Amino acid sequence: MSPAPLESILDLAPYAPGLSIDEIRIRYKLSEVVKLASNENPLGAPPLAVEAVRKNAASIFRYPRGGNPLLVETLAQRHGVDQSRIAIGNGSDEIIDTLMRVLATPGKDNIVCFDPCFSIYPIQAHISHLSVRRVKLGSGFSFDFDALLAKTDQHTRLVFITTPDNPTGYCPPAAAVENFACGLAEKCPAALLLVDEAYMDFSPEEKEYSLLARNKLLPNTGFLRTFSKSWGLAGLRIGYAVLPADVADAFWRARLPFSVNILAEKAAIAALADTAFREAVLETVAAGRLLLSKALRDLGCEVFPSAANFLLFAPPRDLICARDCFEKLLERGIIIRGLQSYSMPDYLRVSIGSPRENHLFLEAMADILKKAGA
Ligand SMILES: *Cc1c(COP(=O)(O)O)cnc(C)c1O
């Protein structure tokens, strides 16, 4: 008999990755497939990062330097914080997972988050044997901070909020986040508020929405950022956090020593220096977001305001349901994100693409809605 895995692990639904470009190309015999499902960078990878990967390819027989010191220094400078606050991980996913194990006691403590939210928070909590206490999003998918605070108790060790939120695009003002952090400090002195700012670079008014951008570093609050979205390095797996120094210290003790590989570290440093690419990305996303919002509304869709590089929308209900719309887009070679796993089956999420990708998506939507109305 083979060893029996834990019941708590067998309870997990296997991770369902989105459909790949190749699968759809073969299934529908298409020459071109557009993927706007994972909020990847619309302009691809930063040229300076690609060059850094090429230049350092021959070094891959070496282990990385422990603690990623060059990147720590670069990021500390960028955010104007002490190096002791910086954590780096194999994607921000690794930081989320490690912090749960560093801060919370299995079988006893809990985490608190919104419902729906980024699925990694509840899944990793479950794997770490922490209970998950959830608060439904308010009207228009806004955050009810009073309800969030009410869910916390003396066993709460982590509270997650995502600003701008995924999958909704909603972003609360920094003052509301600060107010919540202060309330949490009073009620649960042992809890860390983790503000996931994976999409904050795309926000039109970063200073209005980000405590990190304002350099408001509260003793019970940490910030997650990633190289996967605006920096165009999703496939290399690298993310970082700005944390209270004692939490960052505990993180580094627990993190696997070499989880961030040397090419990822070199590419991240090069990406931070690629200012031309950076400006082009932010312009492309801002212009694309405006264009897609307006065009989808003109087609009769309900579109939610977004501060991120994606839009949440519902197709016109009298013409077509979200699921059929998703399938008909697939047949036409356009992959977007259905939201069944977020318990939002009536909505779809589309990433802002390049001008050409946006055009192909809108052309397909117009065709689908015209045929549905005929
Ligand atoms: C994409 C995303 C991340 C980034 O995860 P990585 O592991 O760094 O790729 C983090 N948080 C949210 C909410 C995201 O959507």
Side-chain angles (χ1 to χ4, degrees):
M1 216 174 85
S2 57
L6 300 181
E7 288 292 335
S8 62
I9 301 302
L10 297 176
D11 283 348
L12 285 171
Y15 180 72
L19 297 158
S20 79
I21 290 181
D22 283 340
E23 268 173 288
I24 296 306
R25 187 162 44 217
I26 291 162
R27 185 191 299 176
Y28 296 109
K29 302 187 173 60
L30 300 162
S31 58
E32 182 176 5
V33 171
V34 168
K35 185 178 170 219
L36 297 173
S38 303
N39 305 334
E40 291 153 345
N41 199 299
L43 301 186
L48 290 187
V50 174
E51 194 184 309
V53 168
R54 283 219 180 88
K55 230 170 68 193
N56 289 283
S59 313
I60 56 172
F61 71 103
R62 296 265 181 226
Y63 279 99
R65 276 177 75 185
N68 312 109
L70 289 179
L71 184 56
V72 165
E73 191 186 330
T74 310
L75 288 170
Q77 263 173 22
R78 178 179 179 83
H79 288 290
V81 301
D82 196 83
Q83 292 185 23
S84 60
R85 289 180 172 274
I86 304 287
I88 296 173
N90 185 282
S92 36
D93 291 353
E94 187 191 26
I95 303 179
I96 294 166
D97 179 59
T98 305
L99 286 180
M100 287 188 187
R101 286 183 289 124
V102 158
L103 294 172
T105 305
K108 181 169 151 235
D109 291 333
N110 66 63
I111 72 149
V112 175
C113 56
F114 283 114
D115 180 15
C117 70
F118 187 46
S119 59
I120 294 289
Y121 317 146
I123 292 172
Q124 296 315 120
H126 181 81
I127 293 171
S128 289
H129 305 281
L130 305 174
S131 52
V132 180
R133 315 183 93 198
R134 307 189 71 169
V135 177
K136 288 259 179 251
L137 291 179
S139 69
F141 303 119
S142 61
F143 290 175
D144 182 344
F145 283 111
D146 292 337
L148 196 66
L149 190 60
K151 270 282 180 211
T152 61
D153 68 4
Q154 79 271 26
H155 291 300
T156 301
R157 288 295 176 271
L158 273 161
V159 179
F160 286 93
I161 63 171
T162 315
T163 65
D165 198 13
N166 178 11
T168 68
Y170 170 80
C171 198
V177 177
E178 183 176 5
N179 192 39
F180 173 77
C182 295
L184 182 68
E186 221 165 89
K187 186 179 171 194
C188 309
L192 178 73
L193 170 63
L194 256 191
V195 184
D196 187 340
E197 297 194 340
Y199 299 100
M200 188 55 87
D201 319 280
F202 300 114
S203 162
E205 303 272 1
E206 206 181 331
K207 280 257 159 66
E208 192 181 330
Y209 293 108
S210 168
L211 290 176
L212 178 60
R214 290 184 183 198
N215 220 300
K216 270 265 163 140
L217 301 173
L218 307 166
N220 69 336
T221 304
F223 302 90
L224 289 166
R225 296 253 175 152
T226 179
F227 284 96
S228 296
K229 311 285 160 55
S230 66
W231 301 102
L233 301 179
L236 277 178
R237 311 303 306 126
I238 183 161
Y240 67 97
V242 178
L243 300 170
D246 52 346
V247 177
D249 173 71
F251 168 85
W252 284 108
R253 288 167 194 268
R255 199 201 80 170
L256 289 171
F258 305 118
S259 65
V260 174
N261 72 72
I262 51 172
L263 294 182
E265 185 179 11
K266 298 280 188 202
I269 291 169
L272 290 166
D274 203 334
T275 48
F277 177 79
R278 174 95 184 143
E279 276 167 30
V281 168
L282 298 186
E283 262 171 45
T284 301
V285 168
R289 186 168 56 200
L290 206 63
L291 178 124
L292 283 188
S293 305
K294 180 170 183 320
L296 283 173
R297 282 195 187 110
D298 289 348
L299 287 171
C301 300
E302 182 187 11
V303 183
F304 290 81
S306 169
N309 68 336
F310 55 81
L311 290 173
L312 178 75
F313 73 98
R317 286 168 229 273
D318 50 331
L319 289 184
I320 195 166
C321 69
R323 197 193 170 82
D324 289 350
C325 184
F326 174 84
E327 290 294 334
K328 291 191 182 302
L329 283 167
L330 270 192
E331 291 167 17
R332 289 164 174 77
I334 314 280
I335 312 175
I336 67 168
R337 186 78 156 85
L339 297 174
Q340 292 89 342
S341 64
Y342 285 89
S343 306
M344 297 169 69
D346 299 332
Y347 298 91
L348 297 168
R349 192 191 73 192
V350 62
S351 307
I352 312 297
S354 66
R356 176 177 161 74
E357 290 170 329
N358 295 339
H359 172 76
L360 290 173
F361 163 68
L362 287 174
E363 207 175 53
M365 280 295 292
D367 182 50
I368 291 164
L369 294 177
K370 196 173 109 200
K371 294 205 166 105

